[in-house]
């Protein structure tokens, strides 16, 4: 990428907080907001809140979200609980994508890597041997590492109607990347799903489209992590949007601290690249990213009907398995968040624990009431085990919410607790009413009976 020309740090209102050489900005970050774990991670690695990446993988396996059993190195099997987690993130993304007005386009998982334009596009991946090649006679076929190669093959030498722009496409697909030995982990899998978005825009509207996507990305990040994130914007010196005004507007759209790193030349195809970073306890993970591409339209002969070249906005919404899962687990292990799966993404959102058989009817009544509201519930009937052991198992499973049912709850209001043992002070009915819209936004659209385990645990 080359040396960074300079760095600027802006506040969430777009004001300039600091400007200077790359060597100095990390010393400034942590002092801006000591409570922001993403800033601490960028500044010094946050040694007080650390976990190991391998520990995150082992935890994901212990919680039966994924498995490496029987798989080639670098590949994972997503288990039922992990599938609910990933499908919940996909459901969460739906309003985000609707706000981008996307149109689904499903590309094949193979692309033709021959031809000068495609060779230029994939040069970095080819040099690093990141692509899987197919041995079909004739050569040139590759497994897709993103939607980009097929997108540009499809659009090659196309004339676009300016009046119909912007036009946004959504292309979620499994992709394959050949990582080097030792690089594969829970975040870097050889096969994972990339929810790619591409917006075709006229040059004069490119900045607005970019900032619109950035604002949505910030809102989505805040849903999960509040304001505990940092926005990093790489900008190539001398490009159209490399201006103080654009930096300020980007910081406002990001609604958080923005670090602008000005680059002397294009590192790949983008003139501007946004990353919204969240601390995972082992690294700063890019949960959302957006790029402004001025290069690939001329490269592939894509023009507007007046002869100008369009701008292509690349974006990727939050991914479940390779982004959200490591963040949730890593933050819990590092003490940055609770050791629980978010209720929105848990296979079972609320478990009812009747103390004895006489309490089971009340437990089923409460569970059934939530089930009819599309809340995934379960009833633990392992009466032969001490209640402390039953609750201990729920905590080890990172169960988000449970409710113990005893004599008092037969007639009185129940009380919810978290997997950390914290009792929720908000009255039961009010708490559920407040949370239900969040849970329903993330409800997986799976066939009946597959969204959660049986409503009875044990026997």
């Amino acid at each position: 990428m080359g040396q960074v020309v300079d760095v600027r740090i802006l506040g969430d209102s777009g004001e300039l907080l600091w400007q200077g050489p790359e060597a100095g900005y990390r010393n400034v970050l942590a002092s801006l907001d000591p409570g922001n774990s993403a800033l601490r991670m960028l500044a010094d690695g946050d040694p007080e809140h650390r976990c190991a990446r391998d520990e995150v993988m082992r935890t994901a396996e212990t919680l039966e979200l994924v498995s490496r059993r029987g798989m080639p190195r670098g590949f994972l099997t997503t288990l039922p609980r992990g599938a609910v987690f990933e499908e919940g993130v996909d459901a969460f993304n739906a309003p985000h994508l609707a706000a981008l007005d996307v149109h689904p386009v499903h590309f094949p998982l193979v692309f033709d890597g021959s031809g000068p334009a495609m060779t230029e596009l994939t040069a970095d991946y080819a040099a690093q041997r990141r692509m899987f090649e197919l041995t079909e006679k004739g050569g040139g076929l590759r497994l897709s590492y993103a939607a980009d190669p097929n997108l540009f093959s499809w659009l090659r030498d196309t004339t676009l109607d300016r009046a119909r722009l912007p036009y946004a496409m959504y292309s979620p697909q499994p992709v394959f990347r050949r990582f080097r030995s030792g690089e594969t982990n829970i975040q870097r899998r050889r096969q994972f799903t990339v929810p790619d978005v591409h917006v075709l825009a006229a040059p004069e509207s490119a900045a607005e489209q970019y900032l619109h996507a950035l604002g949505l990305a910030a809102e989505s990040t805040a849903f999960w992590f509040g304001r505990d994130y940092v926005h990093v914007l790489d900008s190539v010196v001398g490009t159209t949007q490399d201006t103080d005004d654009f930096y300020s507007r980007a910081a406002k759209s990001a609604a958080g601290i923005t670090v602008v790193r000005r680059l002397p030349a294009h590192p790949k195809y983008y003139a501007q690249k946004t990353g919204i970073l969240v601390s995972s306890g082992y690294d700063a993970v890019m949960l959302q990213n957006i790029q402004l591409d001025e290069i690939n339209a001329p490269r592939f002969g894509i023009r507007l009907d007046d002869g100008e070249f369009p701008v292509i906005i690349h974006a990727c919404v939050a991914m479940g398995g390779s982004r959200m899962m490591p963040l949730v687990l890593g933050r819990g292990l590092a003490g940055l968040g609770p050791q629980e799966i978010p209720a929105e993404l848990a296979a079972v959102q609320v478990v009812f624990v009747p103390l004895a058989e006489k309490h089971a009817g009340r437990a089923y009544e409460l569970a059934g009431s939530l089930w009819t509201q599309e809340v995934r519930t379960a009833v633990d009937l392992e009466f032969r085990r001490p209640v402390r052991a039953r609750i201990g198992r729920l905590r080890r499973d990172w169960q988000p919410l449970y409710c113990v049912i005893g004599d008092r709850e037969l007639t009185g209001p129940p009380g919810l607790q978290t997997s950390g043992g914290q009792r929720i002070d908000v009255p039961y009915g009010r708490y559920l009413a407040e949370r239900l819209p969040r849970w329903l936004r993330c409800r997986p659209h799976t066939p009946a009976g597959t969204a959660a385990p049986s409503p009875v645990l044990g026997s």
Side-chain angles (χ1 to χ4, degrees), residues 98 214 238 255 270 334 339 361:
L214 174 55
Y270 57 80
Q339 289 196 0

Side-chain angles (χ1 to χ4, degrees), residues 114-407:
S114 61
M118 190 60 67
T119 299
E120 189 177 9
L121 174 70
T122 62
D124 287 345
Y125 274 85
Q128 299 170 25
R129 296 184 57 80
R130 298 291 190 184
M131 293 182 289
F132 286 97
E133 300 181 11
L134 301 185
T135 57
E136 182 172 315
K137 186 176 180 180
L141 296 184
R142 308 285 188 270
L143 288 179
S144 293
Y145 61 85
D148 293 11
N150 278 319
L151 171 76
F152 292 120
S153 294
W154 177 53
L155 290 176
R156 184 197 308 267
D157 299 325
T158 298
T159 299
L160 306 178
D161 184 349
R162 177 190 282 270
R164 299 181 64 185
L165 301 184
Y167 188 87
M169 293 169 285
Y170 178 50
S171 306
Q173 67 179 64
V175 299
F176 303 85
R177 296 183 184 176
R178 186 200 295 271
F179 294 110
R180 296 189 181 98
S181 177
E183 288 184 330
T184 56
N185 51 59
I186 190 170
Q187 188 180 325
R188 305 186 78 179
R189 310 178 184 186
R190 294 190 189 276
Q191 178 188 334
F192 58 101
T193 298
V194 173
D196 272 328
V197 175
H198 292 92
V199 184
L200 305 176
E204 66 273 12
S205 68
E208 294 301 325
Q209 294 303 314
Y210 188 102
L211 296 174
H212 175 52
L214 174 55
L216 292 170
E219 289 176 9
S220 294
T221 304
F223 180 96
W224 300 110
F225 303 109
R227 295 299 173 187
D228 195 17
Y229 63 83
V230 62
H231 170 226
V232 176
L233 171 62
D234 287 350
S235 181
V236 176
V237 172
T239 54
T240 305
Q241 310 305 334
D242 182 49
T243 66
D244 291 339
D245 178 66
F246 184 78
Y247 305 153
S248 178
R249 295 168 66 198
K252 291 177 184 177
S253 296
I257 298 295
T258 291
V259 177
V260 179
R261 305 190 315 160
R262 300 183 70 237
L263 312 179
H266 288 79
K268 288 185 179 179
Y269 56 73
Y270 57 80
Q272 277 73 39
K273 176 183 178 180
T274 270
I276 294 186
L277 308 182
V278 179
S279 175
S280 64
Y282 60 81
D283 200 356
V285 172
M286 187 181 297
L287 183 62
Q288 313 266 356
N289 69 82
I290 307 164
Q291 300 99 36
L292 191 151
D293 174 6
E294 301 173 326
I295 290 178
N296 278 308
R299 174 184 282 163
F300 286 92
I302 307 165
R303 295 180 180 272
L304 302 177
D305 50 11
D306 60 4
E308 274 197 282
F309 292 110
V311 172
I312 299 156
I313 308 294
H314 302 246
C316 185
V317 295
M319 291 178 276
S322 59
R323 294 294 183 269
M324 279 295 296
M325 192 179 292
L327 282 170
V328 166
L329 300 183
R331 290 173 69 83
L333 293 169
L336 295 171
Q339 289 196 0
E340 61 188 47
I341 303 299
E344 294 83 359
L345 306 177
V348 179
Q349 294 168 299
V350 184
V351 173
F352 292 89
V353 186
L355 296 180
E357 289 188 21
K358 66 178 180 178
H359 305 122
R362 176 62 169 159
Y364 275 113
E365 176 189 347
L366 292 167
S369 175
L370 291 183
W371 188 268
T372 61
Q373 298 180 75
E374 302 184 276
V375 177
R376 299 184 293 278
T377 62
V379 177
D380 182 342
L381 298 179
E382 294 192 272
F383 302 125
R384 290 174 293 181
R385 301 184 68 204
V387 67
R388 184 172 296 179
R390 295 160 70 187
I391 292 173
R393 185 184 67 176
L394 295 176
R395 293 178 181 175
R396 289 193 299 275
D397 286 346
W398 292 38
Q399 171 61 38
L401 295 166
Y402 65 89
C403 180
V404 176
I405 306 297
D407 291 342

Side-chain angles (χ1 to χ4, degrees), residues 11-53:
D12 57 10
S13 297
E15 73 279 17
L16 182 65
L17 302 177
W18 182 87
Q19 181 175 351
E22 184 182 20
Y25 87 96
R26 295 182 188 275
N27 296 328
V28 179
L29 287 178
S31 64
L32 295 175
D33 181 359
N36 187 313
S37 64
L39 290 176
R40 295 198 307 268
M41 180 62 72
L42 287 183
D44 61 5
D46 198 7
E48 294 183 11
H49 299 88
R50 295 289 299 185
C51 68
R53 197 188 303 259

